[in-house]
């Protein structure tokens, strides 16, 4: 009644008081602290209403029948078989691609050798004195490859 009378007369209720440390941050003071409850963990307190007595919990889960178990097992085996099949197909595609790539690389190397200008070095003593890049450019070949090159030119 008194507050209604004051508000009708134009009086406002005083602002809530702030604790000195919290006043700087603009936070309101907590409700009056109960003795002995100063250091309770808030996250624990929030969870307490969620806990239920063991007697109120559901004790047993309905068991699956043998049919359901075997059906689930069959389905799982089918999925595994199918995934293994798909994996094998992917591996096969990968193998064929790798084979093609290797074959193409080999053909390219052969064609490079055929189309290049080469000299056969019979006196190999001066190779030691060459610089590194010149040594890298040097190719060692088997005698039959050298014969092919000599026949070509």
């Amino acid at each position: 009644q008194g507050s209604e009378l004051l508000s009708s007369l134009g009086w406002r209720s005083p602002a809530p008081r702030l604790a000195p440390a919290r006043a700087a941050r603009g936070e309101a003071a907590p409700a009056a602290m109960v003795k002995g409850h100063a250091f309770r963990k808030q996250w624990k307190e929030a969870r307490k209403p969620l806990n239920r007595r063991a007697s109120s919990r559901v004790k047993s889960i309905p068991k699956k029948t043998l049919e359901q178990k075997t059906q689930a097992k069959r389905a799982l085996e089918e999925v595994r078989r199918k995934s293994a099949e798909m994996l094998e197909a992917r591996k096969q595609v990968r193998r064929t691609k790798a084979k093609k790539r290797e074959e193409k690389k080999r053909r390219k190397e052969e064609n490079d050798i055929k189309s290049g200008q080469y000299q056969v070095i019979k006196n190999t003593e001066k190779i030691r004195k060459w610089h590194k890049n010149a040594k890298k450019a040097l190719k060692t070949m088997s005698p039959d490859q050298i014969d092919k090159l000599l026949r070509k030119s």
Side-chain angles (χ1 to χ4, degrees):
Q1 299 170 358
S3 61
E4 291 172 13
L5 178 65
L6 288 174
S7 62
S8 66
L9 293 173
W11 284 83
R12 284 186 291 150
S13 62
R17 296 188 59 192
L18 298 176
R22 294 176 179 222
R25 292 188 303 241
E27 298 176 13
M33 290 174 66
V34 180
K35 186 171 184 178
H37 298 288
F39 297 109
R40 284 196 172 171
K41 292 170 182 66
Q42 291 307 310
W43 62 269
K44 255 189 194 178
E45 292 298 316
R47 283 181 56 116
K48 279 185 181 177
L50 300 175
N51 293 334
R52 292 185 187 88
R53 290 194 336 273
S55 60
S56 68
R57 291 189 192 139
V58 177
K59 298 279 189 307
S60 60
I61 300 166
K63 301 283 183 185
K64 287 184 181 177
T65 62
L66 184 63
E67 291 175 353
Q68 289 173 329
K69 284 181 186 176
T70 53
Q71 191 176 3
K73 193 174 180 181
R74 265 192 245 115
L76 185 65
E77 284 174 4
E78 184 65 28
V79 167
R80 280 188 182 151
R81 189 186 59 76
K82 188 77 175 169
S83 65
E85 212 172 271
M86 290 168 73
L87 193 69
E88 187 58 40
R90 278 211 318 257
K91 281 183 182 176
Q92 189 62 35
V93 167
R94 233 184 255 138
R95 280 190 211 113
T96 55
K97 281 185 178 177
K99 213 173 194 178
K100 281 182 183 177
R101 209 171 32 241
E102 198 63 37
E103 190 64 29
K104 189 177 179 183
K105 189 178 177 184
R106 190 187 58 76
R107 278 198 315 268
K108 187 173 184 191
E109 285 175 1
E110 278 183 13
N111 290 336
D112 284 345
I113 290 170
K114 284 180 188 174
S115 65
Q117 294 291 319
Y118 293 98
Q119 294 175 341
V120 179
I121 301 172
K122 291 179 180 162
N123 185 12
T124 57
E125 288 179 18
K126 292 185 179 172
I127 294 174
R128 278 186 304 118
K129 297 175 185 173
W130 289 5
H131 56 81
K132 203 173 189 178
N133 286 346
K135 284 181 187 174
K136 279 185 186 174
L138 185 69
K139 275 194 177 174
T140 54
M141 294 185 177
S142 64
D144 57 313
Q145 285 178 318
I146 294 172
D147 288 341
K148 278 184 189 175
L149 283 173
L150 289 174
R151 268 189 259 128
K152 183 197 82 165
S153 56

